[in-house]
């Protein structure tokens, strides 16, 4: 073989090697695009549509909660409760986008305690499916879970109603969502959360939402102290608000629980059916208990019972049968009603029964899930897991351990956080006694829920102390106009025949 032939052969070999290298580089460059296209091809239009709807349903629960709480409170504090619920949407949404989602659901974290910051400000959270579902974009999963994060701390504000300063509450929203909710959420649903790996069963938020907010409510109302007129009974000032708020909560809760399937599937349908059954039965049981005690039917009783039933069934709706969910509603109503009845024996002032309804209901539901979870339901979407009814008695102990651990974490961390906030200048947690008498609305916001609380000049009405302060603070429980007379539920006050402007300025 001549030298020329050898040179030509070597040149050809080099050319082939270069072309092979270029082909390999091109293949490697195309691989991510091919993988992305393969992931996007798995997206399901039906699943995306349902989770989009469920997200909107969960969103509407927070304004519904505001109406529910406002109706249960006295008029002078109604607007502030609506406000803190609405501001929770904005503050917690910012926290969730900034780092809350990453701390709760980052899939690259390897520890069992908390997620990392790989997804901070939604880095790498886009239209491709995430680890939690192959059929919806991770960005949709993120915003669906954001609605859970939004309502959870707002629930706790019901315990501190009528004496809570609003600015510290706003600061509390951001930091509590970070050091309590995101961490508990990771424990329960995170990629390597220790409770998740241990096998705890919580379909839609019994631990992070109900036990987390319920324990936080106890710490908050303990630190902030009792209302000055704590021992005096006050009826809810607006039952219509409570009715509308309950309707919005119930309506949204169907998406809260049903949407936790992350798809339009049989397990999500089962969760929705169980939720509705439990709420219906719990509402009726609560009314029956009130009627047995007082001989009267109660709209407030039905609404409170329905919410208690929904809180109770939340952790188990994707694990149990519809027949079992009826028992959730029954026991949830009985236990929560008992807790409300005897709450005054405790040393804290839970104004709107957050602990008695949400914490007690959530805890009862988690324990019942340990008993009644069945593979008949968990296998509907390819999942697994069973409770004592299928022979797995260990699940009951796991559920109780989850309740204890989440309760202690939320209670202790909330207590420490509030202590710190209370020492910071300008962030004192409680309003003064005089401000409490006048109401949180006028002292903290300068606004009121109802226009008739203002004089004709648009300024706040000046109260007449000689007429027992015609207390807007004690609120008009029953108002009827007959000529120039104003009849109150507690006192009958005859107003002089003067002009309306003079009357309001009296």
């Amino acid at each position: 073989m001549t030298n020329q032939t050898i040179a030509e052969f070597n040149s050809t070999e080099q050319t082939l090697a270069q072309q092979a290298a270029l082909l390999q580089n091109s293949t490697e460059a195309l691989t991510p695009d091919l993988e992305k296209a393969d992931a996007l091809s798995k997206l399901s239009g039906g699943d995306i549509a349902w989770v989009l709807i469920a997200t909107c349903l969960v969103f509407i629960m927070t304004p519904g909660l505001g109406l529910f709480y406002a109706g249960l409170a006295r008029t002078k504090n109604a607007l502030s409760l609506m406000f803190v619920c609405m501001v929770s949407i904005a503050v917690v949404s910012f926290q969730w986008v900034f780092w809350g989602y990453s701390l709760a659901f980052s899939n690259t974290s390897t520890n069992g305690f908390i997620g990392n910051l790989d997804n901070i400000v939604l880095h790498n959270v886009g239209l491709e499916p995430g680890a939690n579902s192959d059929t919806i974009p991770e960005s949709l999963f993120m915003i669906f879970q954001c609605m859970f994060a939004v309502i959870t701390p707002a629930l706790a504000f019901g315990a501190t109603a009528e004496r809570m300063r609003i600015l510290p509450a706003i600061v509390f929203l951001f930091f509590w969502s970070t050091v309590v909710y995101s961490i508990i959420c990771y424990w329960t649903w995170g990629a390597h959360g220790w409770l998740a790996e241990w096998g705890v069963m919580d379909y839609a938020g019994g631990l992070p939402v109900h036990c987390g907010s319920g324990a936080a409510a106890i710490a908050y109302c303990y630190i902030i102290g009792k209302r000055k007129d704590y021992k005096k009974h006050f009826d809810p000032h607006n039952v219509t608000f409570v009715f509308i708020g309950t309707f919005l909560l119930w309506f949204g809760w169907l998406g809260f629980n049903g949407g936790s399937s992350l798809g339009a599937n049989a397990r999500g349908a089962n969760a929705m059916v169980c939720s509705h059954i439990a709420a219906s039965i719990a509402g009726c049981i609560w009314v029956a208990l009130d009627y047995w005690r007082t001989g009267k039917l109660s709209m407030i009783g039905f609404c409170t019972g329905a919410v208690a039933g929904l809180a109770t069934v939340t952790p188990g709706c994707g694990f149990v049968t519809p027949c079992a969910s009826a028992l959730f509603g029954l026991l949830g109503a009985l236990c929560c009603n008992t807790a409300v009845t005897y709450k005054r024996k405790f040393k804290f002032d839970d104004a709107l029964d957050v602990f008695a309804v949400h914490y007690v209901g959530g805890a009862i539901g988690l324990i019942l899930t340990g008993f009644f979870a069945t593979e008949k339901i968990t296998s509907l979407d390819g999942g697994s897991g069973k409770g004592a009814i299928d022979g797995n008695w260990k699940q009951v102990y796991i559920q109780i351990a989850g309740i204890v651990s989440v309760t202690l974490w939320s209670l202790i961390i909330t207590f420490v956080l509030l202590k710190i906030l209370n020492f910071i200048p300008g962030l004192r947690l409680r309003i003064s006694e005089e401000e409490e008498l006048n109401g949180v609305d006028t002292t903290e916001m300068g606004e009121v829920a109802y226009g008739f609380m203002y004089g004709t000049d648009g300024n706040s009405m000046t109260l007449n102390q000689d007429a027992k302060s015609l207390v807007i603070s004690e609120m008009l429980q029953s108002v009827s106009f007959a000529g120039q007379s104003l009849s109150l539920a507690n006192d009958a006050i005859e107003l002089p025949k003067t002009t309306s402007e003079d009357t309001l300025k009296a």
Side-chain angles (χ1 to χ4, degrees):
M1 184 179 291
T2 64
N3 292 335
Q4 182 179 0
T5 303
I6 294 173
E8 290 176 352
F9 179 81
N10 290 337
S11 177
T12 302
E13 186 178 17
Q14 291 175 358
T15 301
L16 290 173
Q18 291 174 354
Q19 290 177 347
L22 288 172
L23 181 61
Q24 182 178 1
N25 291 336
S26 299
T27 303
E28 291 176 352
L30 287 172
T31 298
D33 292 334
L34 292 173
E35 291 176 351
K36 180 178 180 180
D38 181 59
L40 291 174
S41 68
K42 295 179 181 178
L43 295 176
S44 166
D47 290 350
I48 292 172
W50 166 235
V51 179
L52 283 169
I53 293 170
T55 301
C56 296
L57 290 173
V58 182
F59 172 86
I60 207 171
M61 291 176 69
T62 305
L65 180 69
L67 280 172
F68 183 79
Y69 279 172
L72 289 173
R74 284 173 279 180
T75 307
K76 61 181 180 180
N77 304 303
L79 190 65
S80 59
L81 288 166
M82 289 187 274
F83 179 78
V84 292
C85 287
M86 290 303 295
V87 81
S88 178
I89 296 176
V91 174
V92 179
S93 294
F94 170 72
Q95 183 272 347
W96 194 249
V97 168
F98 182 66
W99 62 18
Y101 176 74
S102 187
L103 294 174
F105 287 104
S106 57
N107 295 309
T108 55
S109 178
T110 57
N111 71 83
F113 183 75
I114 189 172
N116 57 33
L117 295 178
D118 284 357
N119 299 122
I120 191 172
V121 293
L122 303 187
H123 178 64
N124 290 329
V125 178
L127 299 179
E128 298 83 16
N132 295 285
S133 175
D134 293 332
T135 61
I136 66 171
E138 186 174 6
S139 58
L140 177 55
F141 174 76
M142 179 278 301
I143 197 64
F144 177 66
Q145 287 295 332
C146 178
M147 299 305 134
F148 284 61
V150 160
I151 196 172
T152 302
L155 288 170
F157 291 145
T160 56
E162 305 193 331
R163 75 270 198 200
M164 169 185 66
R165 289 191 64 226
I166 294 177
L167 180 59
I170 294 174
V171 177
F172 171 82
L173 283 169
F174 183 89
F175 289 103
W176 188 88
S177 297
T178 300
V179 298
V180 178
Y181 181 79
S182 290
I183 291 176
I184 296 174
C185 198
Y186 182 80
W187 291 358
T188 309
W189 296 321
H192 300 287
W194 72 272
L195 283 176
E197 292 196 339
W198 208 27
V200 74
M201 289 183 174
D202 184 1
Y203 192 71
L207 287 171
V209 178
H210 296 295
C211 288
S213 64
I218 294 303
Y220 209 146
C221 66
Y222 179 80
I223 288 178
I224 208 171
K226 299 176 182 179
R227 290 166 291 176
K228 295 304 177 185
D229 48 10
Y230 166 65
K231 294 183 178 181
K232 188 174 181 180
H233 173 74
F234 296 100
D235 291 328
H237 94 275
N238 193 323
V239 179
T240 303
F241 274 13
V242 177
F243 163 73
I244 296 172
T246 303
F247 165 78
L248 293 175
L249 285 169
W250 195 333
F251 182 61
W253 224 305
L254 299 179
F256 189 97
N257 291 348
S260 293
S261 62
L262 302 180
N265 54 43
R267 196 172 180 187
N270 181 80
M272 184 178 288
V273 170
C274 289
S275 301
H276 188 67
I277 290 173
S280 300
I281 290 178
C284 293
I285 294 297
W286 201 292
V287 169
L289 291 171
D290 284 353
Y291 187 81
W292 175 63
R293 292 192 185 102
T294 66
K296 301 290 184 182
L297 300 175
S298 170
M299 172 64 79
I300 296 294
F302 181 84
C303 292
T304 305
V307 172
L310 288 163
T312 303
V313 80
T314 290
C317 58
F319 295 107
V320 304
T321 63
C323 288
S325 71
L327 185 61
F328 278 64
L330 172 64
L331 293 180
L334 290 173
C335 294
C336 293
N337 186 280
T338 301
V340 169
T341 302
Y342 293 100
K343 71 174 185 176
R344 292 187 180 274
K345 293 184 179 294
F346 299 103
K347 302 298 182 181
F348 52 82
D349 178 12
D350 180 3
L352 304 183
D353 301 326
V354 179
F355 175 82
V357 173
H358 292 281
Y359 181 87
V360 173
I364 294 298
L366 285 160
I367 295 172
L368 291 176
T369 300
F371 280 100
F372 293 101
T374 174
E375 285 186 317
K376 177 182 177 181
I377 302 300
T378 58
S379 62
L380 288 174
D381 61 355
S384 60
K386 58 185 180 180
I389 196 172
D390 284 348
N392 181 24
W393 287 91
K394 180 182 176 181
Q395 191 62 46
V396 178
Y397 306 118
I398 294 174
Q399 300 295 100
I400 294 173
I403 295 169
V404 173
S405 59
V406 166
T407 300
L408 291 176
W409 180 261
S410 181
L411 191 67
I412 294 171
I413 301 302
T414 303
F415 185 88
V416 173
L417 174 60
L418 290 170
K419 280 289 187 181
I420 293 172
L421 290 178
N422 203 35
F423 279 114
I424 298 176
L427 295 182
R428 175 174 48 85
L429 298 176
R430 181 176 179 135
I431 59 177
S432 67
E433 290 188 27
E434 182 179 356
E435 290 170 334
E436 185 178 342
L437 175 64
N438 293 327
V440 179
D441 292 357
T442 55
T443 58
E444 285 285 294
M445 300 183 64
E447 298 174 338
V448 290
Y450 305 97
F452 67 74
M453 292 178 67
Y454 280 102
T456 55
D457 60 355
N459 295 321
S460 237
M461 184 189 296
T462 301
L463 302 180
N464 186 341
Q465 298 298 328
D466 293 331
K468 294 186 179 179
S469 296
L470 188 44
V471 262
I472 299 174
S473 54
E474 293 292 343
M475 264 8 290
L476 310 176
Q477 297 194 22
S478 169
V479 181
S480 62
F481 288 91
Q484 299 292 324
S485 297
L486 176 63
S487 175
L488 300 179
N490 295 326
D491 300 285
I493 300 177
E494 186 75 20
L495 299 180
K497 295 184 178 181
T498 57
T499 64
S500 59
E501 182 174 353
D502 291 336
T503 302
L504 289 168
K505 290 182 177 179

